[in-house]
Amino acid sequence: MEVPIPNLTEVDSVWLGGGVLAIQIDSYLPIEIIALGRCDNIVSAGEPLVVTLSMDAVGESTEVLIPLSQISLIGAGEEMLSLEWDWSFVLVSSGQPVEAGELLTIKASFDEATVAGVFGKFSSELSHNIEAQVAIPELTSWDPALFYLSAPRLLLEVKNSFGVDLGLEVSELSLLADGSHTPLHGNAIHEFPVFEGAPAVGDTTWISHVLDNTGMVPTLSDVMNLANDSLLLIGAVDVLPNPSGGQFATATDVLSCSGSFEVPLAGWVKGLTWRDTLLTPISQALRDGVAPPLDWMDVSSLTLRFIVDNALPLELNGSVNFINIHGDSLLAGPDIAIPGGADAPAIVTVDYVLNRTLALELLEMQCTAVALSWTLATTGAGIGESIQVFADDLVSMRIAAKVECQIDPDP
């Protein structure tokens, strides 16, 4: 019995995940028959498959159906597996004569068998075409005259759980903007690394590949500053030949690719706006801070101190607004100018003094947050000053309050 396996040039074994194996005996002999079959190439629960069929002397046929879940076919061959059976028979005569030419036949067939995994050597001619388009929503609009991407890069992470080395042939890699294509060329694109196969079933191999300005024409900086909206990839994934075999593929194996567009802040920048909101119950904290024997009728002024630590090598020019839980602006705060951090964070302290009227107004406003709006720039943006922002460069803000009271000794 031979089972052809497509896409394999050499077969070691096959995992089956469903279907049935039907074994049938046909006989019109006037003999009781007990047939015992064993196939060392079909393994179930770690043991060779053994089947028993019996027929009485009336004849015709009998059949046994064997479920194929968690069944392995083991052997070695080119593009197919040979399944060899050993049969033994017990024949009991009914006393009737046997006509000349009568036959005893055994048939075996697979019905709706599903393959859960194959092991061997895949054909090097096996290829799968791909076409993928990924949106880049972050780049839909900006003014490149104010924000120039000096070192953008595309980081591709490929996951391969097949036990097969795979290669990517890129026919087209383009950036799209309003329907126009900007094809990318160069060694970084046409010399993708081999997607190495997983060493064992259940394992996964991860491969990273970076597309940046090096080895690309045009450079990513040139095309990304055109505010592209998506990335298009057309190509084929090819199976790479392995002289020693030992390749495998299971139904749960995947080849997947995830990508990220990274923009290290290196170069110069100006006019970039960054907005943030700090949630803090300012009104409630102020009410809780004035305890008897004092009350808010004794308040003469309120000083809010903003302490900003800036480790970014960027100048920050910002404004503060006090808002309620709905985001409505209640009261304008101070303007804050902060120099960029160099070897150490730049620390700026700004005191914002509210007179009695404004202090009482803030107390009654139910202020629950502070809205910040920063304009970022490098000090020498006009002359192309170069800076670089690292992951641990942070900006922090602390807010403190000082309440001054005036007590009339003769109320």
Side-chain angles (χ1 to χ4, degrees), residues 93-350:
S93 175
S94 64
Q96 298 295 320
V98 176
E99 299 290 338
E102 289 290 345
L103 299 174
L104 170 65
T105 60
I106 300 177
K107 300 176 182 177
S109 62
F110 290 96
D111 185 16
E112 297 184 355
T114 59
V115 175
V118 291
F119 298 78
K121 182 179 179 181
F122 283 81
S123 169
S124 60
E125 298 179 358
L126 183 61
S127 181
H128 179 71
N129 294 328
I130 58 172
E131 179 173 347
Q133 183 171 339
V134 182
I136 312 177
E138 297 90 344
L139 307 182
T140 53
S141 63
W142 84 69
D143 185 352
L146 299 179
F147 185 32
Y148 180 76
L149 301 178
S150 65
R153 68 178 195 164
L154 293 170
L155 177 61
L156 304 179
E157 295 278 352
V158 179
K159 169 187 176 182
N160 183 15
S161 60
F162 290 96
V164 184
D165 291 349
L166 303 172
L168 176 63
E169 291 290 336
V170 178
S171 301
E172 178 183 351
L173 184 66
S174 297
L175 287 163
L176 312 182
D178 296 328
S180 63
H181 286 224
T182 303
L184 302 176
H185 303 282
N187 296 337
I189 297 171
H190 299 292
E191 296 180 4
F192 266 77
V194 172
F195 306 148
E196 295 182 358
V201 175
D203 290 342
T204 298
T205 299
W206 291 89
I207 303 96
S208 299
H209 186 56
V210 175
L211 300 178
D212 54 20
N213 287 339
T214 304
M216 292 187 62
V217 180
T219 67
L220 273 184
S221 290
D222 291 338
V223 294
M224 285 298 182
N225 282 286
L226 299 177
N228 302 278
D229 51 48
S230 58
L231 177 71
L232 174 66
L233 171 64
I234 301 175
V237 175
D238 301 327
V239 170
L240 302 181
N242 186 343
S244 60
Q247 298 173 316
F248 64 83
T250 71
T252 58
D253 286 333
V254 295
L255 175 69
S256 65
C257 178
S258 60
S260 59
F261 176 63
E262 298 182 349
V263 184
L265 289 179
W268 59 265
V269 62
K270 66 178 179 180
L272 179 64
T273 300
W274 166 33
R275 293 183 174 88
D276 200 357
T277 300
L278 303 180
L279 299 177
T280 177
I282 290 180
S283 296
Q284 184 62 49
L286 290 174
R287 285 195 294 269
D288 295 342
V290 179
L294 299 175
D295 60 34
W296 278 93
M297 297 305 296
D298 301 316
V299 171
S300 61
S301 67
L302 168 64
T303 301
L304 293 174
R305 172 164 291 181
F306 296 84
I307 305 171
V308 182
D309 292 355
N310 180 24
L312 294 172
L314 300 169
E315 296 177 354
L316 304 180
N317 291 282
S319 60
V320 176
N321 275 277
F322 301 98
I323 62 176
N324 61 18
I325 194 171
H326 304 294
D328 301 323
S329 178
L330 303 176
L331 181 68
D335 293 331
I336 303 176
I338 307 168
D343 296 332
I347 301 176
V348 171
T349 300
V350 175

Side-chain angles (χ1 to χ4, degrees), residues 34-87:
I34 299 176
L36 180 66
R38 173 189 172 104
C39 183
D40 291 334
N41 304 105
I42 303 179
V43 177
S44 176
E47 298 293 334
L49 180 66
V50 176
V51 296
T52 301
L53 298 95
S54 60
M55 294 181 63
D56 57 26
V58 176
E60 295 189 358
S61 66
T62 185
E63 184 180 55
V64 62
L65 300 178
I66 302 169
L68 293 177
S69 59
Q70 298 183 346
I71 293 285
S72 297
L73 308 181
I74 299 175
E78 294 184 358
E79 300 183 354
M80 65 181 61
L81 281 175
S82 296
L83 306 179
E84 298 180 358
W85 289 83
D86 291 327
W87 290 95

